[in-house]
């Protein structure tokens, strides 16, 4: 089944400004192996169409993972990340933050179960759980 995957970076793929999250390489490789044509950035590093995701991630990932990042498509959003989601298609959104207005949009589209909240301080290995849900 085809599904759109929407990925945040800070707090999801990067644990902090200096370190990748545990299993970030394995996670990205798994996502892009299964959904090479339907994975999207939904991050402030890709805000309003500006795509800085690769340059932000590259110093923290394995070279073979960095090479795969070109497969991830940018989204365009301005105020709420939900502006970048195609609600007419099945999707999974992986992020460490959800604004009340974004939750309202998910609820409006009956898609709250498509959001996967990441909390690396509580569970530094949480990306492994997301791999299992792909």
């Amino acid at each position: 089944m085809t599904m759109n995957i929407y990925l945040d970076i800070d707090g999801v793929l990067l644990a902090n400004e200096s370190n990748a999250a545990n299993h970030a390489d394995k996670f990205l490789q798994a996502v892009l192996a299964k959904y090479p044509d339907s994975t999207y950035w939904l991050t402030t590093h890709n805000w309003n169409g500006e795509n800085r995701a690769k340059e932000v991630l590259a110093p923290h990932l394995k070279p073979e993972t960095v090479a795969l990042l070109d497969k991830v498509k940018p989204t365009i959003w301005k105020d709420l990340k939900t502006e970048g989601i195609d609600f007419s298609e099945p999707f999974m959104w992986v992020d460490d933050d959800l604004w009340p207005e974004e939750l309202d949009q998910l609820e409006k589209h009956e898609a709250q179960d498509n959001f996967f909240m990441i909390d690396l301080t509580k569970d530094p290995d949480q990306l492994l759980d997301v791999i299992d849900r792909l």
Side-chain angles (χ1 to χ4, degrees):
M1 175 175 113
T2 300
M3 178 167 55
N4 292 335
I5 307 295
Y6 297 99
L7 301 176
D8 184 34
I9 293 178
D10 298 314
V12 174
L13 299 173
L14 294 179
N16 54 51
E17 292 182 10
S18 306
N19 299 292
N22 290 353
H23 317 291
D25 286 286
K26 181 177 181 177
F27 172 77
L28 283 165
Q29 291 171 14
V31 167
L32 292 168
K34 188 157 186 180
Y35 301 104
D37 300 320
S38 59
T39 301
Y40 299 86
W41 294 124
L42 197 56
T43 170
T44 55
H45 299 293
N46 178 221
W47 179 76
N48 209 15
E50 178 186 351
N51 192 358
R52 293 185 49 248
K54 187 174 180 179
E55 76 179 74
V56 169
L57 285 168
H60 309 287
L61 300 174
K62 296 177 181 174
E64 58 269 29
T65 306
V66 173
L68 296 173
L69 296 181
D70 289 329
K71 293 182 177 187
V72 184
K73 298 170 180 63
T75 55
I76 296 176
W77 62 280
K78 188 175 178 184
D79 298 318
L80 301 175
K81 288 184 178 179
T82 47
E83 296 167 12
I85 294 175
D86 180 352
F87 285 100
S88 70
E89 300 281 335
F91 72 91
M92 175 189 277
W93 175 17
V94 184
D95 206 316
D96 68 322
D97 193 21
L98 182 65
W99 291 9
E101 299 87 354
E102 292 168 336
L103 177 58
D104 290 345
Q105 287 299 307
L106 290 174
E107 289 173 345
K108 176 183 170 187
H109 293 279
E110 298 181 0
Q112 25 326 1
D113 291 343
N114 300 49
F115 180 81
F116 196 88
M117 177 67 78
I118 299 294
D119 184 347
L120 295 175
T121 55
K122 189 169 120 181
D123 182 358
D125 297 318
Q126 193 174 12
L127 288 180
L128 292 176
D129 297 335
V130 183
I131 292 171
D132 292 340
R133 291 180 169 222
L134 293 174

